[in-house]
Amino acid sequence: MKVLKFGGTSVGSTENINKVISILQQQAEESNIAVVVSAVGGITDKLLEAANLACAKDEAYITKYNKIWSKHNKIIEGLFEGSGLKQQEDNLHDLITEKLDELKNLLDGIYLINELSPKTKDKLLSFGETLSSTIIIHTLKSRNIDAVLKNSQELIVTDLNYNNAIVDFKATDKNISTFFESNSCKIVLLPGFVSKAYNGEITTLGRGGSDYTAAIIAAALDAKELQIWTDVSGMFTTNPKLVKQAAPITRLSYQEAVELSHFGAKVLYPPTVMPVLKKNIPIVIKNTMEPEAIGTTITEDDQLNGDSPVRGLSNIDNIALMTLQGNGMVGVPGFSKRLFEALAQEKINIILITQSSSEHSICFGIADSDAEHAKELIDAVFEYEIALQKLDPIVVETDLSIIAVVGDKMKSHQGISGKMFSTLGKNNVNIRAIAQGASERNISAVIHKNDVKKALNSLHEQFFEIKTKQINLFITGVGNVGQRLIDQIKQQRAYVKENFKINLRVVGLSNSRFMLVNDDGIDLENWKEDLAKSEKASLNGFFDHAKTLNLRNSVFVDITANDEVAKIYVDYLKQSISVVACNKIACSGNIEYYNELKQLSRKYNASFLFETNVGAGLPVIDTLSHLIASGDKINTIQAVLSGSLNFIFNNFNSETTFYDVVKQAQEEGYTEPDPRIDLSGIDVARKVLILARESGHQIELNELESDNFLTDNAMKADTVDDFFNTLKDDEAYYQSLYKSAEDKNCQLKFVAEFDNGKAKVGLKEIPEGHPFYNLKGKDNIVMFYTQRYPEQPMIIKGAGAGAEVTASGLFADIMRIANN
């Protein structure tokens, strides 16, 4: 026998109930199951709201009631839609309407007598689970699933402590055993949370009562397993809403689960653990929306997962810290008894207690909502001592939270508390009180509520995240290549963090119209939408953001071909912000500017990398730099450096037209929007110039010799469309170039050469047997003839064009900086 409990979210919509039914069918194939369900998501709160309005003589309670009615009937309509089971649907509508009429009568009664007693409140709240279980059982039966509904109120016996009844386990266990022994159905459905006192009055089991119901039934039946199905995939290392890096915990001990649940982990409520702990029944927390997720298994097994003795972090918000202090307390017995007895009589729950060894003060934490009443109560209890100035009036601090570090094995590991408090101190989190038991299973601290997110994030990084180097990226230019880079960062970020201990964050994005900066990191799932509604773009404004944030390990990434962007590299480097440039203008422009950037990079210890300037994703400059750094000297460079030109001449022949091939290259993104930038050879000239400069030669672009094979008509065309028309008109000329090479059994390649301080580019007929001859597709090739490689050159070959490989080259430069 297994016991399954489904939370309110799980039965809060037609879609979710259908998922629940699917899970039930699968589980029932393996064994008989008892299923406990909560009220439809949010209904309990709406019931309370309606009752409070009615009690306040506010007729708006009718509107709240109507919403409850609408919610349930909408679910019924969705469950039976298209089923053809009109009669069954009508019967269920009638049954639910009858129950809702009872609810309306109860609300009307509350309105008339202007009172909501604990007894009436329990009766009111019991409607939630009764309604949801009624809907589900009729749906199961309409689908011919072997199931029966059993009212938990007929099984669970309690005292008359309304709103938080105490279970009579002897009577309850007997009732459960007797019923299940006579049951023959595969699925038994039970409403959670609800019960009855020994005199037949309706009671409820308090906060987390549906979980508790499931645990009571599991313990009574000696179940194989208790499954808690909710809307998250188990218990997390901390609150995932506050800490993005929070991860599910695969296994926990019962004690660890209790500690985490007590301190705010709402996936599981502490009373749930107690009945099954005695029987050593595993608790498995699963996600109804993702049933295939592993979830969290809770057993008495306390073996550590990994090396960290800390299993989780938790927090409780809305805490008031109260301090009773005075010299009259020292050495006088009875103060603690009087204090806590007074609070207990008023049912004020104490969450945390700490006392100084001098006995001069007692400090304890309670819910904010109880603070005012507790102060009045304590001041009254100790009125005589306060009047004699033996005690100070109770001191109350509000707007606080408790954070807790939890783990069974913390006691056997030195330095846990030291790490906790030093981490909080480094992040300027002020600690108001500390509590730690002798078991060291839980170390708690009271802090201001505004510091909770920062505290949890810093502690999570300390205890659960491998120390990483954070790289903060400011990217300008988010076109074709920029989008690919963002995609690669998004795809590889987790891998890079795990394997290289590098945390890549995109902090700034900019295009020609908008710029977006977020020091917490930009959401890479929705960056396009966020950028489109952000502030107006400005080169200086984008730089000012980067300067003001002053984040460690910042990198400016230029993925434009803009001259103005290239001019601002100086400003970034002077702020020790590294620069990664896809833009060739800075490195192939004025030699003085190129040298200045190099000098600033060294002076301010900020990298200036531009690998993609030459070979897209190929490590051409990196290889050249290593050769130079190792003492080698470059004699000659021969290269095919344009993937677009290589693509064009590899696909151009007597059966194609030059126009068609160039047009294809443009459409597939291998050329610039204006293909003349590629075909004129200026792009290749810039690339070989950069290689020459990186080899140590001080030359300018106008010193290069360029053999332009395009016609005058093509170069003088006013528009890109006019340029393409010239290709059609001059087809005979381009065919003659191909025919000349073919007659000599040669291939046309646009070649860059550097030799003895001189560089040139031009179209060449490459003979068979030459390394360039069989260069296919959009591949590039670079041959370095050096003092160490005088006859057989060092060759680098591979794809040299395309948005994806260019983005990968930028990514590689970013990783070089990160690993520096």
Side-chain angles (χ1 to χ4, degrees):
M1 169 71 74
K2 289 183 181 179
V3 178
L4 285 64
K5 180 266 177 177
F6 289 89
T9 305
S10 301
V11 293
S13 68
T14 299
E15 179 184 1
N16 289 356
I17 291 176
N18 281 326
K19 288 181 179 178
V20 168
I21 292 173
S22 175
I23 292 168
L24 296 184
Q25 287 179 293
Q26 182 180 358
Q27 294 268 7
E29 291 177 2
E30 301 173 4
S31 67
N32 289 3
I33 55 175
V35 183
V36 177
V37 293
S38 295
V40 167
I43 294 300
T44 300
D45 289 338
K46 288 184 172 61
L47 284 169
L48 280 174
E49 290 168 8
N52 288 328
L53 288 168
C55 188
K57 304 294 283 188
D58 187 339
E59 293 187 359
Y61 79 90
I62 298 173
T63 303
K64 293 288 183 183
Y65 165 79
N66 288 334
K67 288 183 178 179
I68 294 170
W69 186 95
S70 176
K71 174 80 170 179
H72 285 85
N73 280 282
K74 184 178 179 181
I75 288 174
I76 294 170
E77 290 168 4
L79 289 169
F80 284 87
E81 184 178 8
S83 67
L85 302 173
K86 179 64 175 170
Q87 184 62 51
Q88 289 92 325
E89 180 180 358
D90 290 342
N91 291 341
L92 180 53
H93 269 298
D94 291 343
L95 190 55
I96 292 299
T97 300
E98 182 181 336
K99 292 181 182 295
L100 288 169
D101 286 343
E102 292 178 27
L103 172 62
K104 177 64 164 50
N105 291 334
L106 182 57
L107 289 169
D108 289 342
I110 295 170
Y111 177 83
L112 289 173
I113 65 174
N114 193 26
E115 182 183 350
L116 179 59
S117 67
K119 179 179 178 179
T120 304
K121 184 178 178 181
D122 268 358
K123 193 170 295 184
L124 174 89
L125 294 180
S126 69
F127 276 91
E129 275 72 7
T130 302
L131 289 167
S132 60
S133 58
T134 301
I135 290 173
I136 294 174
I137 191 62
H138 279 74
T139 306
L140 289 169
K141 289 183 175 180
S142 72
R143 299 181 186 182
N144 297 317
I145 297 172
D146 185 21
V148 65
L149 175 65
K150 180 63 177 177
N151 191 343
S152 302
Q153 293 170 325
E154 299 173 7
L155 301 177
I156 300 177
V157 182
T158 71
D159 63 6
L160 283 170
N161 186 23
Y162 296 109
N163 306 159
N164 193 18
I166 296 174
V167 176
D168 179 343
F169 279 97
K170 184 176 181 180
T172 298
D173 289 350
K174 181 179 179 182
N175 290 342
I176 293 170
S177 298
T178 300
F179 169 74
F180 277 90
E181 284 172 4
S182 62
N183 170 65
S184 60
C185 292
K186 293 286 289 182
I187 300 173
V188 177
L189 193 71
L190 307 106
F193 183 56
V194 295
S195 52
K196 278 186 180 178
Y198 53 82
N199 64 354
E201 293 287 352
I202 293 174
T203 56
T204 60
L205 300 179
R207 182 171 177 258
S210 292
D211 286 2
Y212 192 29
T213 301
I216 291 168
I217 293 169
L221 297 175
D222 290 320
K224 177 183 178 183
E225 187 175 87
L226 169 60
Q227 298 179 3
I228 306 293
W229 289 82
T230 180
D231 57 353
V232 293
S233 299
M235 297 184 78
F236 280 64
T237 47
T238 192
N239 187 345
K241 293 180 180 178
L242 298 179
V243 181
K244 294 179 181 178
Q245 292 77 23
I249 307 171
T250 306
R251 296 187 69 86
L252 283 171
S253 71
Y254 291 120
Q255 290 78 13
E256 288 169 332
V258 168
E259 293 284 356
L260 287 172
S261 59
H262 175 71
F263 280 86
K266 296 180 181 179
V267 176
L268 185 70
Y269 293 99
T272 304
V273 177
M274 299 311 165
V276 295
L277 184 151
K278 296 176 182 178
K279 297 287 186 74
N280 195 21
I281 298 170
I283 303 173
V284 180
I285 301 172
K286 300 280 284 183
N287 188 343
T288 310
M289 314 310 152
E290 298 179 25
E292 70 284 352
I294 295 174
T296 299
T297 299
I298 302 168
T299 65
E300 67 175 357
D301 177 18
D302 61 354
Q303 291 182 356
L304 287 177
N305 296 333
D307 297 326
S308 176
V310 176
R311 291 295 190 90
L313 310 171
S314 198
N315 66 289
I316 307 176
D317 295 327
N318 302 316
I319 294 296
L321 192 64
M322 311 194 75
T323 304
L324 182 67
Q325 60 186 3
N327 293 328
M329 293 175 61
V330 179
V332 180
F335 277 98
S336 298
K337 176 181 182 296
R338 291 167 61 194
L339 171 64
F340 298 130
E341 189 173 64
L343 294 171
Q345 287 175 352
E346 293 297 312
K347 298 182 180 179
I348 295 175
N349 184 43
I350 298 173
I351 302 169
L352 171 146
I353 303 171
T354 181
Q355 182 174 12
S356 65
S357 59
S358 67
E359 300 182 39
H360 179 267
S361 68
I362 300 173
C363 184
F364 59 95
I366 62 175
D368 255 342
S369 57
D370 291 329
E372 186 176 346
H373 179 44
K375 176 174 172 53
E376 294 174 355
L377 177 66
I378 296 168
D379 283 343
V381 170
F382 296 103
E383 182 179 9
Y384 177 73
E385 288 84 357
I386 292 172
L388 294 178
Q389 297 185 347
K390 291 184 177 181
L391 291 181
D392 299 331
I394 191 80
V395 177
V396 181
E397 299 174 75
T398 57
D399 296 328
L400 302 174
S401 295
I402 298 174
I403 56 171
V405 175
V406 175
D408 273 344
K409 299 297 184 181
M410 295 196 307
K411 184 176 182 179
S412 60
H413 282 70
Q414 295 179 347
I416 299 297
S417 58
K419 286 182 181 179
M420 175 182 179
F421 298 126
S422 65
T423 299
L424 294 175
K426 288 176 183 177
N427 287 276
N428 298 315
V429 176
N430 188 36
I431 299 172
R432 301 295 307 122
I434 299 168
Q436 179 177 3
S439 70
E440 290 191 36
R441 183 177 290 124
N442 178 315
I443 306 173
S444 304
V446 180
I447 63 175
H448 196 277
K449 66 179 183 181
N450 293 339
D451 288 331
V452 168
K453 183 176 181 179
K454 178 165 63 173
L456 289 178
N457 274 274
S458 59
L459 290 173
H460 195 273
E461 184 176 69
Q462 173 66 48
F463 290 116
F464 295 104
E465 299 173 41
I466 297 171
K467 302 302 177 290
T468 58
K469 183 176 183 179
Q470 188 176 94
I471 303 297
N472 298 292
L473 303 174
F474 295 83
I475 301 173
T476 186
V478 289
N480 198 16
V481 175
Q483 291 185 42
R484 297 297 195 283
L485 175 62
I486 292 170
D487 288 342
Q488 289 178 14
I489 292 171
K490 181 172 67 175
Q491 175 186 322
Q492 291 298 110
R493 185 160 49 186
Y495 175 83
V496 167
K497 187 173 183 179
E498 180 180 352
N499 291 276
F500 297 97
K501 312 302 180 281
I502 294 168
N503 180 22
L504 296 177
R505 297 197 317 158
V506 178
V507 180
L509 288 173
S510 178
N511 58 21
S512 59
R513 295 178 298 162
F514 303 103
M515 62 182 181
L516 172 66
V517 177
N518 186 338
D519 62 348
D520 289 328
I522 293 170
D523 179 5
L524 299 188
E525 294 291 341
N526 304 301
W527 68 267
K528 291 182 182 179
E529 295 82 353
D530 293 341
L531 180 61
K533 57 187 179 185
S534 57
E535 62 182 305
K536 184 178 178 181
S538 160
L539 283 178
N540 289 326
F542 197 60
F543 165 71
D544 288 340
H545 277 301
K547 179 181 175 182
T548 302
L549 288 175
N550 195 27
L551 299 172
R552 65 189 186 278
N553 303 321
S554 291
V555 181
F556 174 66
V557 185
D558 176 13
I559 318 178
T560 73
N562 187 291
D563 182 66
E564 294 302 314
V565 178
K567 289 177 181 177
I568 207 169
Y569 294 174
V570 167
D571 297 331
Y572 282 98
L573 292 171
K574 286 181 178 179
Q575 294 299 320
S576 296
I577 297 175
S578 296
V579 174
V580 170
C582 183
N583 188 346
K584 301 179 186 69
I585 293 173
C587 291
S588 61
N590 185 282
I591 187 67
E592 282 79 14
Y593 186 57
Y594 166 84
N595 289 333
E596 181 184 8
L597 295 176
K598 287 282 191 172
Q599 185 270 331
L600 289 173
S601 173
R602 292 188 292 268
K603 180 178 180 180
Y604 292 97
N605 194 31
S607 298
F608 174 43
L609 301 180
F610 40 90
E611 185 67 78
T612 53
N613 279 197
V614 174
L618 295 177
V620 177
I621 295 175
D622 188 56
T623 302
L624 176 58
S625 298
H626 285 304
L627 288 172
I628 300 296
S630 68
D632 205 353
K633 183 179 179 181
I634 306 300
N635 297 328
T636 301
I637 301 173
Q638 295 182 7
V640 174
L641 291 172
S642 173
S644 53
L645 283 171
N646 202 40
F647 176 87
I648 288 168
F649 286 112
N650 278 334
N651 288 279
F652 176 52
N653 53 51
S654 59
E655 297 179 359
T656 62
T657 68
F658 197 63
Y659 165 85
D660 287 337
V661 176
V662 174
K663 192 68 175 175
Q664 180 186 355
Q666 183 203 43
E667 290 173 349
E668 294 187 17
Y670 297 141
T671 72
E672 298 291 339
D674 184 346
R676 282 175 293 184
I677 296 174
D678 299 276
L679 294 171
S680 66
I682 185 63
D683 187 59
V684 176
R686 286 174 174 161
K687 290 179 178 181
V688 73
L689 172 68
I690 293 169
L691 290 179
R693 288 177 173 178
E694 287 294 291
S695 300
H697 294 269
Q698 301 287 301
I699 61 175
E700 297 281 10
L701 186 62
N702 58 15
E703 298 176 42
L704 270 72
E705 180 184 337
S706 179
D707 178 15
N708 183 11
F709 69 89
L710 289 176
T711 65
D712 290 340
N713 289 337
M715 294 302 298
K716 293 177 180 177
D718 293 328
T719 67
V720 174
D721 289 338
D722 291 341
F723 160 71
F724 273 109
N725 287 331
T726 70
L727 298 186
K728 295 178 181 179
D729 296 339
D730 298 331
E731 179 63 24
Y733 162 72
Y734 297 112
Q735 286 292 340
S736 70
L737 294 176
Y738 173 78
K739 184 69 166 59
S740 174
E742 185 183 39
D743 289 345
K744 301 171 188 173
N745 195 27
C746 291
Q747 295 278 350
L748 288 173
K749 303 291 179 187
F750 198 86
V751 178
E753 297 177 276
F754 176 75
D755 186 32
N756 294 321
K758 293 184 179 181
K760 63 180 179 178
V761 296
L763 192 65
K764 291 190 123 184
E765 295 176 345
I766 303 299
E768 188 174 6
H770 192 281
F772 295 172
Y773 182 84
N774 289 316
L775 200 62
K776 301 297 182 183
K778 56 182 182 296
D779 282 358
N780 282 0
I781 186 170
V782 180
M783 300 194 303
F784 291 120
Y785 290 90
T786 73
Q787 287 183 342
R788 295 176 187 156
Y789 299 90
E791 297 177 359
Q792 295 296 326
M794 175 178 283
I795 297 176
I796 302 167
K797 179 181 176 182
E804 200 70 41
V805 293
T806 303
S808 71
L810 291 166
F811 194 98
D813 271 349
I814 293 168
M815 290 298 295
R816 288 185 183 99
I817 292 172
N819 286 311
N820 187 0

